[in-house]
Amino acid sequence: MKDQLQIVTAFDNTVRIYAALTAGVVETARHLHDTWPTATAALGRTLTATLIMGVMHDDIRRLTVRVAGDGPLGGIVAVSNRRGAVKGYVNHPQVNLDLNSLGKLDVGTAVGNGYLYITKDIGLKEPYQGVVPLQSGEIGEDFAYYFTKSEQTPSAVALGVLVAPDGHVLTAGGLIIQMMPGAEDSTAIFIEERLSQLPPLTTLLEQGMTPLQLIQKVIGEYTPLKLLDGVDVCYECDCSKERFLGPLLTLEADEVQEMLATKGAVEVRCHFCNRLYHYDQHDLETGEGSHA
Ligand SMILES: [Zn+2]
């Protein structure tokens, strides 16, 4: 099924629900970064939550999420925009740990202890920044804590990535349920109960459910809902040769000259897509240059 994100409201606009299918996004990330299963799950969950969060508010131009844990993954970065495009990387992609006591990929141990940093570029001079301590490193709980603590929006977050024995991504997706101002306590209790009775998200995704079917699973088949928006989502890196040139020109001249002398060119690799850019003497002198 195509990667997509559906946004609805229910209970008189007091509950907002986001449901996303992201198997294509996560498989692209795995392929680009050659991630091993535990790293695939950690990066995939982070990409999915970042995608959803990127379309939550109209004023966000660019959202940057950093999961800074002290575990073997060494940190995760994801960046999204309101068009539904996301990119990301994990510092140590070749991490695969034993399954945890629940028989799941042990994302919490791989991430470790640390902080979740959220940076929102809303077009002002200074971006908005928020930070919370990681709760479990399982990513879903960490985002839920961020929404509740930092944005005063009580939220439930379920993220799932299912990896095949050969390492490729079978299915992936996410659900974020948010209580808006005016939500009744009884509604929150009802949704909490329904969530506690649901099978794991990966099980529902494996059944081939659409985002709307996932949402109906949470709020009940007969609860009316209002469609707000549907967005096609994808993994996309917007880097270019020109983009890396600026930072290169700020390097010490000696450093650049040494690289040119030893390699004949200065090489820069994009962390998000692993594309390699070459800059020769001419590129650096004219400050523009052509594509590699
Ligand atoms: Zn790139």
mmCIF file of all heavy atoms in Angstrom, residues 252-279:
data_model
loop_
_atom_site.group_PDB
_atom_site.id
_atom_site.type_symbol
_atom_site.label_atom_id
_atom_site.label_comp_id
_atom_site.label_asym_id
_atom_site.label_seq_id
_atom_site.Cartn_x
_atom_site.Cartn_y
_atom_site.Cartn_z
ATOM 1 N N GLU A 252 39.056 26.669 6.850
ATOM 2 C CA GLU A 252 40.365 27.313 6.729
ATOM 3 C C GLU A 252 40.958 27.026 5.352
ATOM 4 O O GLU A 252 40.883 25.895 4.858
ATOM 5 C CB GLU A 252 41.317 26.751 7.797
ATOM 6 C CG GLU A 252 40.988 27.184 9.206
ATOM 7 C CD GLU A 252 41.248 28.668 9.429
ATOM 8 O OE1 GLU A 252 42.228 29.170 8.865
ATOM 9 O OE2 GLU A 252 40.448 29.296 10.141
ATOM 10 N N ALA A 253 41.557 28.016 4.743
ATOM 11 C CA ALA A 253 42.131 27.860 3.407
ATOM 12 C C ALA A 253 43.178 26.737 3.382
ATOM 13 O O ALA A 253 43.227 25.949 2.439
ATOM 14 C CB ALA A 253 42.758 29.171 2.950
ATOM 15 N N ASP A 254 43.980 26.648 4.446
ATOM 16 C CA ASP A 254 45.020 25.612 4.505
ATOM 17 C C ASP A 254 44.412 24.218 4.416
ATOM 18 O O ASP A 254 44.894 23.351 3.694
ATOM 19 C CB ASP A 254 45.781 25.688 5.843
ATOM 20 C CG ASP A 254 46.607 26.950 5.922
ATOM 21 O OD1 ASP A 254 46.609 27.682 4.923
ATOM 22 O OD2 ASP A 254 47.221 27.187 6.974
ATOM 23 N N GLU A 255 43.333 24.052 5.165
ATOM 24 C CA GLU A 255 42.664 22.757 5.230
ATOM 25 C C GLU A 255 42.169 22.333 3.847
ATOM 26 O O GLU A 255 42.362 21.203 3.416
ATOM 27 C CB GLU A 255 41.447 22.918 6.156
ATOM 28 C CG GLU A 255 41.265 21.818 7.188
ATOM 29 C CD GLU A 255 40.107 22.176 8.106
ATOM 30 O OE1 GLU A 255 40.147 23.248 8.730
ATOM 31 O OE2 GLU A 255 39.156 21.388 8.148
ATOM 32 N N VAL A 256 41.516 23.278 3.166
ATOM 33 C CA VAL A 256 40.966 23.022 1.841
ATOM 34 C C VAL A 256 42.097 22.738 0.849
ATOM 35 O O VAL A 256 42.029 21.782 0.078
ATOM 36 C CB VAL A 256 40.113 24.221 1.363
ATOM 37 C CG1 VAL A 256 39.721 24.054 -0.095
ATOM 38 C CG2 VAL A 256 38.875 24.352 2.239
ATOM 39 N N GLN A 257 43.155 23.555 0.910
ATOM 40 C CA GLN A 257 44.273 23.374 -0.018
ATOM 41 C C GLN A 257 44.925 22.005 0.167
ATOM 42 O O GLN A 257 45.313 21.348 -0.791
ATOM 43 C CB GLN A 257 45.319 24.491 0.165
ATOM 44 C CG GLN A 257 44.888 25.825 -0.432
ATOM 45 C CD GLN A 257 44.425 25.714 -1.880
ATOM 46 O OE1 GLN A 257 44.996 24.974 -2.683
ATOM 47 N NE2 GLN A 257 43.365 26.441 -2.229
ATOM 48 N N GLU A 258 44.994 21.565 1.422
ATOM 49 C CA GLU A 258 45.603 20.258 1.686
ATOM 50 C C GLU A 258 44.770 19.136 1.066
ATOM 51 O O GLU A 258 45.304 18.211 0.457
ATOM 52 C CB GLU A 258 45.750 20.051 3.195
ATOM 53 C CG GLU A 258 46.785 18.987 3.520
ATOM 54 C CD GLU A 258 46.762 18.593 4.973
ATOM 55 O OE1 GLU A 258 46.662 19.491 5.827
ATOM 56 O OE2 GLU A 258 46.837 17.378 5.241
ATOM 57 N N MET A 259 43.442 19.258 1.207
ATOM 58 C CA MET A 259 42.561 18.242 0.624
ATOM 59 C C MET A 259 42.681 18.238 -0.894
ATOM 60 O O MET A 259 42.718 17.186 -1.526
ATOM 61 C CB MET A 259 41.110 18.499 1.047
ATOM 62 C CG MET A 259 40.805 18.034 2.458
ATOM 63 S SD MET A 259 39.032 18.057 2.781
ATOM 64 C CE MET A 259 38.871 19.621 3.635
ATOM 65 N N LEU A 260 42.741 19.429 -1.477
ATOM 66 C CA LEU A 260 42.868 19.528 -2.937
ATOM 67 C C LEU A 260 44.192 18.919 -3.394
ATOM 68 O O LEU A 260 44.240 18.207 -4.395
ATOM 69 C CB LEU A 260 42.801 20.995 -3.383
ATOM 70 C CG LEU A 260 41.420 21.641 -3.406
ATOM 71 C CD1 LEU A 260 41.541 23.130 -3.725
ATOM 72 C CD2 LEU A 260 40.514 20.974 -4.431
ATOM 73 N N ALA A 261 45.250 19.172 -2.623
ATOM 74 C CA ALA A 261 46.576 18.690 -3.010
ATOM 75 C C ALA A 261 46.659 17.173 -2.907
ATOM 76 O O ALA A 261 47.222 16.510 -3.782
ATOM 77 C CB ALA A 261 47.636 19.339 -2.133
ATOM 78 N N THR A 262 46.046 16.601 -1.863
ATOM 79 C CA THR A 262 46.176 15.156 -1.671
ATOM 80 C C THR A 262 45.168 14.366 -2.500
ATOM 81 O O THR A 262 45.479 13.297 -2.997
ATOM 82 C CB THR A 262 46.023 14.770 -0.187
ATOM 83 O OG1 THR A 262 44.800 15.335 0.293
ATOM 84 C CG2 THR A 262 47.188 15.268 0.641
ATOM 85 N N LYS A 263 43.946 14.889 -2.632
ATOM 86 C CA LYS A 263 42.908 14.118 -3.332
ATOM 87 C C LYS A 263 42.502 14.721 -4.675
ATOM 88 O O LYS A 263 41.758 14.098 -5.431
ATOM 89 C CB LYS A 263 41.656 14.028 -2.447
ATOM 90 C CG LYS A 263 41.816 13.131 -1.226
ATOM 91 C CD LYS A 263 40.496 13.013 -0.507
ATOM 92 C CE LYS A 263 40.478 11.864 0.480
ATOM 93 N NZ LYS A 263 39.180 11.783 1.159
ATOM 94 N N GLY A 264 42.915 15.916 -4.954
ATOM 95 C CA GLY A 264 42.523 16.575 -6.197
ATOM 96 C C GLY A 264 41.148 17.212 -6.119
ATOM 97 O O GLY A 264 40.723 17.921 -7.012
ATOM 98 N N ALA A 265 40.421 16.909 -5.037
ATOM 99 C CA ALA A 265 39.090 17.493 -4.853
ATOM 100 C C ALA A 265 38.718 17.418 -3.376
ATOM 101 O O ALA A 265 39.288 16.621 -2.628
ATOM 102 C CB ALA A 265 38.059 16.739 -5.675
ATOM 103 N N VAL A 266 37.778 18.252 -2.983
ATOM 104 C CA VAL A 266 37.248 18.169 -1.624
ATOM 105 C C VAL A 266 35.948 17.368 -1.718
ATOM 106 O O VAL A 266 35.113 17.637 -2.579
ATOM 107 C CB VAL A 266 36.962 19.571 -1.045
ATOM 108 C CG1 VAL A 266 36.414 19.460 0.365
ATOM 109 C CG2 VAL A 266 38.238 20.399 -1.054
ATOM 110 N N GLU A 267 35.820 16.366 -0.866
ATOM 111 C CA GLU A 267 34.624 15.527 -0.906
ATOM 112 C C GLU A 267 33.733 15.812 0.289
ATOM 113 O O GLU A 267 34.222 15.955 1.406
ATOM 114 C CB GLU A 267 35.021 14.043 -0.854
ATOM 115 C CG GLU A 267 35.672 13.550 -2.127
ATOM 116 C CD GLU A 267 35.970 12.062 -2.060
ATOM 117 O OE1 GLU A 267 35.948 11.490 -0.948
ATOM 118 O OE2 GLU A 267 36.221 11.481 -3.127
ATOM 119 N N VAL A 268 32.449 15.888 0.035
ATOM 120 C CA VAL A 268 31.486 16.051 1.127
ATOM 121 C C VAL A 268 30.375 15.026 0.924
ATOM 122 O O VAL A 268 29.822 14.909 -0.167
ATOM 123 C CB VAL A 268 30.857 17.464 1.139
ATOM 124 C CG1 VAL A 268 29.843 17.590 2.265
ATOM 125 C CG2 VAL A 268 31.932 18.521 1.277
ATOM 126 N N ARG A 269 30.075 14.282 1.980
ATOM 127 C CA ARG A 269 29.002 13.294 1.876
ATOM 128 C C ARG A 269 27.785 13.782 2.654
ATOM 129 O O ARG A 269 27.910 14.249 3.783
ATOM 130 C CB ARG A 269 29.464 11.942 2.430
ATOM 131 C CG ARG A 269 28.481 10.811 2.119
ATOM 132 C CD ARG A 269 28.975 9.476 2.653
ATOM 133 N NE ARG A 269 30.096 8.934 1.900
ATOM 134 C CZ ARG A 269 29.996 8.321 0.720
ATOM 135 N NH1 ARG A 269 28.822 8.161 0.161
ATOM 136 N NH2 ARG A 269 31.068 7.848 0.120
ATOM 137 N N CYS A 270 26.605 13.679 2.043
ATOM 138 C CA CYS A 270 25.372 14.069 2.727
ATOM 139 C C CYS A 270 24.976 12.956 3.701
ATOM 140 O O CYS A 270 24.848 11.801 3.315
ATOM 141 C CB CYS A 270 24.252 14.294 1.711
ATOM 142 S SG CYS A 270 22.661 14.592 2.486
ATOM 143 N N HIS A 271 24.784 13.337 4.978
ATOM 144 C CA HIS A 271 24.404 12.356 5.997
ATOM 145 C C HIS A 271 23.052 11.713 5.718
ATOM 146 O O HIS A 271 22.794 10.589 6.107
ATOM 147 C CB HIS A 271 24.283 13.035 7.365
ATOM 148 C CG HIS A 271 25.596 13.362 7.985
ATOM 149 N ND1 HIS A 271 26.571 12.426 8.156
ATOM 150 C CD2 HIS A 271 26.082 14.516 8.494
ATOM 151 C CE1 HIS A 271 27.607 12.994 8.740
ATOM 152 N NE2 HIS A 271 27.345 14.261 8.945
ATOM 153 N N PHE A 272 22.159 12.475 5.067
ATOM 154 C CA PHE A 272 20.779 12.015 4.927
ATOM 155 C C PHE A 272 20.566 11.044 3.756
ATOM 156 O O PHE A 272 19.683 10.210 3.807
ATOM 157 C CB PHE A 272 19.850 13.223 4.755
ATOM 158 C CG PHE A 272 19.755 14.066 5.999
ATOM 159 C CD1 PHE A 272 20.519 15.209 6.132
ATOM 160 C CD2 PHE A 272 18.917 13.701 7.038
ATOM 161 C CE1 PHE A 272 20.438 15.991 7.271
ATOM 162 C CE2 PHE A 272 18.831 14.462 8.185
ATOM 163 C CZ PHE A 272 19.596 15.612 8.308
ATOM 164 N N CYS A 273 21.363 11.201 2.678
ATOM 165 C CA CYS A 273 21.142 10.338 1.519
ATOM 166 C C CYS A 273 22.426 9.667 1.045
ATOM 167 O O CYS A 273 22.403 8.908 0.077
ATOM 168 C CB CYS A 273 20.494 11.122 0.384
ATOM 169 S SG CYS A 273 21.582 12.364 -0.337
ATOM 170 N N ASN A 274 23.545 9.971 1.703
ATOM 171 C CA ASN A 274 24.842 9.381 1.382
ATOM 172 C C ASN A 274 25.393 9.760 0.020
ATOM 173 O O ASN A 274 26.346 9.163 -0.457
ATOM 174 C CB ASN A 274 24.797 7.850 1.515
ATOM 175 C CG ASN A 274 25.081 7.445 2.940
ATOM 176 O OD1 ASN A 274 25.929 8.048 3.590
ATOM 177 N ND2 ASN A 274 24.363 6.464 3.439
ATOM 178 N N ARG A 275 24.776 10.764 -0.631
ATOM 179 C CA ARG A 275 25.305 11.239 -1.908
ATOM 180 C C ARG A 275 26.653 11.909 -1.649
ATOM 181 O O ARG A 275 26.828 12.572 -0.628
ATOM 182 C CB ARG A 275 24.327 12.227 -2.522
ATOM 183 C CG ARG A 275 24.365 12.257 -4.032
ATOM 184 C CD ARG A 275 23.238 13.121 -4.578
ATOM 185 N NE ARG A 275 21.927 12.507 -4.401
ATOM 186 C CZ ARG A 275 20.792 13.206 -4.353
ATOM 187 N NH1 ARG A 275 20.798 14.501 -4.427
ATOM 188 N NH2 ARG A 275 19.633 12.570 -4.208
ATOM 189 N N LEU A 276 27.590 11.690 -2.592
ATOM 190 C CA LEU A 276 28.932 12.255 -2.421
ATOM 191 C C LEU A 276 29.113 13.402 -3.420
ATOM 192 O O LEU A 276 28.854 13.246 -4.605
ATOM 193 C CB LEU A 276 29.963 11.156 -2.680
ATOM 194 C CG LEU A 276 31.405 11.414 -2.281
ATOM 195 C CD1 LEU A 276 31.523 11.671 -0.789
ATOM 196 C CD2 LEU A 276 32.264 10.221 -2.678
ATOM 197 N N TYR A 277 29.552 14.546 -2.918
ATOM 198 C CA TYR A 277 29.784 15.704 -3.789
ATOM 199 C C TYR A 277 31.279 16.010 -3.849
ATOM 200 O O TYR A 277 31.966 15.927 -2.829
ATOM 201 C CB TYR A 277 29.029 16.921 -3.248
ATOM 202 C CG TYR A 277 27.534 16.783 -3.338
ATOM 203 C CD1 TYR A 277 26.783 16.375 -2.234
ATOM 204 C CD2 TYR A 277 26.866 17.043 -4.530
ATOM 205 C CE1 TYR A 277 25.404 16.239 -2.313
ATOM 206 C CE2 TYR A 277 25.489 16.913 -4.623
ATOM 207 C CZ TYR A 277 24.766 16.514 -3.517
ATOM 208 O OH TYR A 277 23.403 16.381 -3.607
ATOM 209 N N HIS A 278 31.739 16.337 -5.047
ATOM 210 C CA HIS A 278 33.154 16.682 -5.241
ATOM 211 C C HIS A 278 33.273 18.153 -5.600
ATOM 212 O O HIS A 278 32.501 18.652 -6.411
ATOM 213 C CB HIS A 278 33.749 15.873 -6.407
ATOM 214 C CG HIS A 278 33.739 14.406 -6.162
ATOM 215 N ND1 HIS A 278 34.771 13.754 -5.554
ATOM 216 C CD2 HIS A 278 32.794 13.471 -6.429
ATOM 217 C CE1 HIS A 278 34.479 12.473 -5.460
ATOM 218 N NE2 HIS A 278 33.280 12.273 -5.982
ATOM 219 N N TYR A 279 34.251 18.812 -5.012
ATOM 220 C CA TYR A 279 34.505 20.218 -5.330
ATOM 221 C C TYR A 279 35.969 20.336 -5.730
ATOM 222 O O TYR A 279 36.859 19.960 -4.965
ATOM 223 C CB TYR A 279 34.237 21.102 -4.106
ATOM 224 C CG TYR A 279 32.809 20.981 -3.617
ATOM 225 C CD1 TYR A 279 32.443 19.953 -2.755
ATOM 226 C CD2 TYR A 279 31.834 21.878 -4.031
ATOM 227 C CE1 TYR A 279 31.135 19.817 -2.318
ATOM 228 C CE2 TYR A 279 30.521 21.755 -3.601
ATOM 229 C CZ TYR A 279 30.180 20.723 -2.746
ATOM 230 O OH TYR A 279 28.893 20.588 -2.322
#
